[in-house]
Amino acid sequence: MSKPELEFHLPDGPWRTPAGAGPGVGERVLADDPAHGSRTALVRWAPGTDTSADGVTRHDFWEEVYLVEGALHDLTLDRTFTAGMYACRPPGMPHGPWTAPDGVTMLVITYRPERGAGNCATSHDGAAADGRTS
């Protein structure tokens, strides 16, 4: 089954705690295609969420993240990323751990490598979208 065909609407699916997520993390799935490994979701972290215990994260899928509101602080880079910023992470790219002192809401799109061939664009200052330099 592929992602559903949906015209503009107000998503009304429930906010759920994703499997393996820590306290304060919730997601509202907007579109899901488990057969092809792709998903689009709104993800929100409550104020004070801290993923330090999980350490640096790596996964075997592409992940695109757009910060809708709030901010994330990357403990590895000692940098804060704010609403309007975007990250595009290929499979295996290390990221985090994070804190969200005031909370954050993100649009997160994930997909398997065969569906996402290509490179992430760089920002106007030459830094990769996640803040790392090329």
Side-chain angles (χ1 to χ4, degrees), residues 58-78:
R58 289 177 183 80
H59 33 70
D60 63 353
F61 50 84
W62 282 87
E63 179 181 55
E64 297 182 62
V65 180
Y66 179 81
L67 301 181
V68 177
E69 43 180 35
L72 283 174
H73 182 76
D74 185 309
L75 298 171
T76 299
L77 299 176
D78 192 25

Side-chain angles (χ1 to χ4, degrees), residues 29-125:
V29 175
L30 302 176
D32 193 16
D33 181 0
H36 293 100
S38 65
R39 169 182 273 208
T40 303
L42 289 171
V43 177
R44 66 181 176 193
W45 292 5
T49 298
D50 183 341
T51 68
S52 297
D54 299 328
V56 173
T57 300
R58 289 177 183 80
H59 33 70
D60 63 353
F61 50 84
W62 282 87
E63 179 181 55
E64 297 182 62
V65 180
Y66 179 81
L67 301 181
V68 177
E69 43 180 35
L72 283 174
H73 182 76
D74 185 309
L75 298 171
T76 299
L77 299 176
D78 192 25
R79 253 185 101 184
T80 298
F81 300 99
T82 57
M85 297 181 98
Y86 168 79
C88 184
R89 302 183 183 120
M93 179 180 158
H95 54 285
W98 307 93
T99 60
D102 299 316
V104 66
T105 300
M106 304 167 270
L107 176 66
V108 179
I109 302 165
T110 58
Y111 45 94
R112 296 288 165 204
E114 60 272 11
R115 297 205 39 149
N119 296 319
C120 301
T122 57
S123 66
H124 66 279
D125 64 0

